[in-house]
Amino acid sequence: MIIIQKDRCKACSLCVKNCPTGAVKIIDKLAVVQENCVSCGVCVRVCPFQAIARVAEIAAGSASCRSCPVQCEIKPGFEGACRRYSNINGTLVRNRDLVLESQRARTADRAIPDRPLTTGAGAGTEYPCCRPAPHIVGDTVDGIDVVTVVTEAPLSYSGIKIKIDANQHIGEEGAKIFRDGAVVGMVEPEEYGSKMLYIGGASILSGKNGFAAARTIVELANEERVTLQVEKGSTLELQVGCVPVIDGVAEKKMRVGCGSATVGMFARTMSEAVEEVIVLDHHIIGLLSEHRAGEEVGMRWSGVVPNGRKSTRGRYFGDPGHGWGGTHIEHPLEAVKSVDMAVAQAGMKILVTETTGQKGALLQVQPDGSVAEIPLTAAAKAIVDLIADNCEEARVSAVYVGGTGGSARAGVTTFPIKLSRAVHAGEAKLTIGGAETFILPGGGINFLVDVEQVAPKAFTWVPTPATVAPVEYTMTRNKYAEIGGHVDAIKPLPSLRQGK
């Protein structure tokens, strides 16, 4: 249940603006909790005056939701903070029927082969773009006449998104990326278990560092080794398909999940080995006994409080750094913020580990509530090894990002918009160097492609500056004629193979 401490409330309305169910109102310059409050605790976390508290008391008739760590207390006739579960006569039910099939999902044109008749790698470029593309070839595939149009297209709207499997903190989000002193990109928000960089983009390519950026994009896309420097951060030695080297140290493992996920996966094995486990992680630190997974295997909160900012039960936000689990915690003893000896017992063992299972330490609670490190037992080490064995090898990967919705379309058709529409409708297939692409929805032909699927060394750059990508459009011959394609320029595929 949520209570308002009237003497502290300043009626600032932050609780009103953030409440997911609209259950707080300002009445007579005071926050007032309404009947539909589900005790999700959002108001407690956003209140800058500590005027709101969540107490253990549960409102009469409420049902406790166990579908996520928030654990809303939902009264009959109301729904939880996520708006997914409703209390219907005392029972929580998902308030939307299961969607068995989505009619919005696009079905691929089965007449178009999976691969183009030829890649665009080595095709060359026709300029100006109003000329037909360098190669427009036709063939019959499974009884259907098919056409592939290829060119090597200079793309000023291009870049490369780098994924680095690493826990190590490399720098702040938004930090600049330098190559030989030139700004070539920025650090992007981290994605699950990986650091992310973006190199290039139109503004950088058209700026004073455009040549350096174009060269960097192409070298990374062609799987060559590149050294980059993060602003106020790490030195990165990166090569697609290889282990990332950060500040001279090769990363070994990609984390198995966040700290909470690690507890969720291995709670039962953990509970059978030690009284408590702290899984350090720069995103979410997991505390076994308090976590719902710990409760699921019969545990109760041990009295241990980890060194982090509490999110929900058993889940604490960590701070990034160069310590264990990519946090600022350099020594396992620092993983324990405090021990409540009204709950804990002297002699209790706490395993401290991280989400890659590369480090592990065993602590023992002392009579005064402090903790001391003791030798790792075989059972505790087995947990650490179990985490490590479930981690993938760390590596660098990348997707090239480009837009071909401009003048390059004129080499394919005399009605460029018809090509764009055909691509979005799945009636024409865009590949890059023979590789499948993901087409972003909306206008234009903006794509992403895994560079490891593209023909080797397929990317180049021109000093406009722009990067050059091998582009292929494949469709049925009928569709090609329908969109205004240069049908007179179609050559049979065998002639291309014979060098004619």
Side-chain angles (χ1 to χ4, degrees):
M1 179 180 291
I2 297 296
I3 60 171
I4 306 294
Q5 300 185 55
K6 299 179 180 179
D7 57 329
R8 293 186 176 182
C9 179
K10 307 297 183 185
C12 68
S13 298
L14 272 177
C15 52
V16 176
K17 294 174 182 174
N18 285 278
C19 178
T21 61
V24 188
K25 293 183 178 179
I26 300 296
I27 300 176
D28 296 333
K29 298 182 180 180
L30 188 69
V32 178
V33 177
Q34 306 298 300
E35 180 70 7
N36 58 328
C37 174
V38 296
S39 301
C40 68
V42 169
C43 54
V44 179
R45 292 163 65 179
V46 301
C47 179
F49 307 108
Q50 291 77 51
I52 309 176
R54 182 178 184 176
V55 298
E57 184 181 352
I58 298 174
S62 294
S64 180
C65 182
R66 298 302 183 96
S67 296
C68 85
V70 174
Q71 297 189 248
C72 291
E73 303 291 343
I74 308 172
K75 302 182 187 73
F78 293 107
E79 57 190 11
C82 65
R83 303 295 178 93
R84 294 184 301 149
Y85 291 93
S86 299
N87 185 334
I88 306 297
N89 299 324
T91 300
L92 292 181
V93 297
R94 178 69 174 98
N95 50 25
R96 179 181 181 177
D97 293 337
L98 177 65
V99 179
L100 294 172
E101 184 179 359
S102 173
Q103 300 301 321
R104 301 179 69 180
R106 191 182 71 191
T107 301
D109 189 335
R110 298 185 186 280
I112 303 174
D114 292 335
R115 296 183 177 184
L117 299 178
T118 176
T119 80
T125 307
E126 289 290 354
Y127 188 82
C129 300
C130 53
R131 296 177 178 174
H135 297 292
I136 302 176
V137 296
D139 201 5
T140 301
V141 179
D142 296 331
I144 298 174
D145 291 335
V146 175
V147 173
T148 293
V149 184
V150 302
T151 186
E152 290 180 315
L155 304 176
S156 56
Y157 281 93
S158 61
I160 191 165
K161 194 177 180 75
I162 305 293
K163 176 173 173 283
I164 307 168
D165 301 335
N167 263 347
Q168 179 87 339
H169 181 61
I170 62 170
E172 298 297 326
E173 290 179 9
K176 297 174 182 174
I177 303 293
F178 296 90
R179 185 175 189 193
D180 300 328
V183 176
V184 296
M186 63 182 289
V187 177
E188 289 201 323
E190 182 176 330
E191 296 184 11
Y192 204 95
S194 302
K195 310 303 185 211
M196 306 299 297
L197 312 179
Y198 190 92
I199 308 298
S203 61
I204 287 182
L205 284 171
S206 59
K208 64 179 182 180
N209 299 319
F211 302 137
R215 180 166 58 91
T216 303
I217 295 167
V218 167
E219 290 178 0
L220 286 166
N222 286 338
E223 303 172 51
E224 298 173 18
R225 197 168 193 79
V226 171
T227 299
L228 302 172
Q229 178 66 49
V230 181
E231 179 185 28
K232 298 179 181 179
S234 297
T235 300
L236 312 173
E237 296 174 53
L238 306 176
Q239 184 173 8
V240 171
C242 298
V243 173
V245 179
I246 301 175
D247 296 325
V249 179
E251 289 287 313
K252 295 180 180 176
K253 297 285 186 180
M254 178 179 177
R255 67 178 185 171
V256 69
C258 69
S260 172
T262 307
V263 167
M265 283 184 274
F266 305 119
R268 185 168 301 282
T269 304
M270 290 174 170
S271 68
E272 293 170 351
V274 289
E275 289 89 353
E276 184 61 280
V277 177
I278 298 174
V279 183
L280 293 172
D281 177 52
H282 57 283
H283 178 38
I284 298 178
I285 296 169
L287 181 68
L288 174 63
S289 71
E290 189 189 25
H291 198 280
R292 273 282 292 119
E295 181 186 59
E296 190 73 15
V297 297
M299 300 187 77
R300 292 184 177 182
W301 179 54
S302 66
V304 172
V305 178
N307 191 351
R309 294 170 288 117
K310 188 166 185 176
S311 165
T312 49
R313 55 177 286 187
R315 305 167 79 251
Y316 295 75
F317 294 124
D319 292 318
H322 297 278
W324 285 45
T327 71
H328 69 294
I329 296 172
E330 300 282 351
H331 192 282
L333 290 176
E334 301 168 5
V336 178
K337 184 176 184 179
S338 63
V339 179
D340 184 349
M341 292 306 290
V343 179
Q345 294 182 345
M348 189 175 75
K349 295 183 178 62
I350 307 169
L351 171 64
V352 178
T353 185
E354 56 182 11
T355 52
T356 60
Q358 293 180 87
K359 295 179 180 176
L362 197 59
L363 310 181
Q364 189 171 51
V365 175
Q366 305 301 299
D368 63 355
S370 63
V371 292
E373 187 169 357
I374 61 175
L376 202 62
T377 63
K381 185 176 184 307
I383 295 172
V384 178
D385 291 343
L386 177 63
I387 296 171
D389 290 344
N390 279 278
C391 291
E392 297 165 274
E393 302 302 315
R395 72 195 303 274
V396 178
S397 50
V399 291
Y400 175 88
V401 181
T404 63
S407 61
R409 292 176 295 172
V412 183
T413 171
T414 53
F415 294 96
I417 194 171
K418 291 187 177 182
L419 174 62
S420 300
R421 288 171 176 166
V423 169
H424 284 283
E427 298 166 340
K429 188 170 188 175
L430 170 68
T431 50
I432 299 295
E436 295 270 359
T437 59
F438 175 80
I439 307 296
L440 275 66
I445 305 176
N446 299 353
F447 66 87
L448 295 86
V449 63
D450 179 354
V451 300
E452 294 179 82
Q453 302 295 316
V454 176
K457 307 294 184 184
F459 296 94
T460 56
W461 67 283
V462 292
T464 51
T467 63
V468 180
V471 177
E472 305 106 24
Y473 294 100
T474 302
M475 64 202 87
T476 65
R477 186 178 179 117
N478 288 340
K479 174 53 66 176
Y480 190 52
E482 182 182 323
I483 68 170
H486 304 295
V487 292
D488 293 340
I490 298 174
K491 298 178 181 178
L493 181 62
S495 69
L496 193 66
R497 288 174 173 159
Q498 294 164 9
K500 297 180 181 178

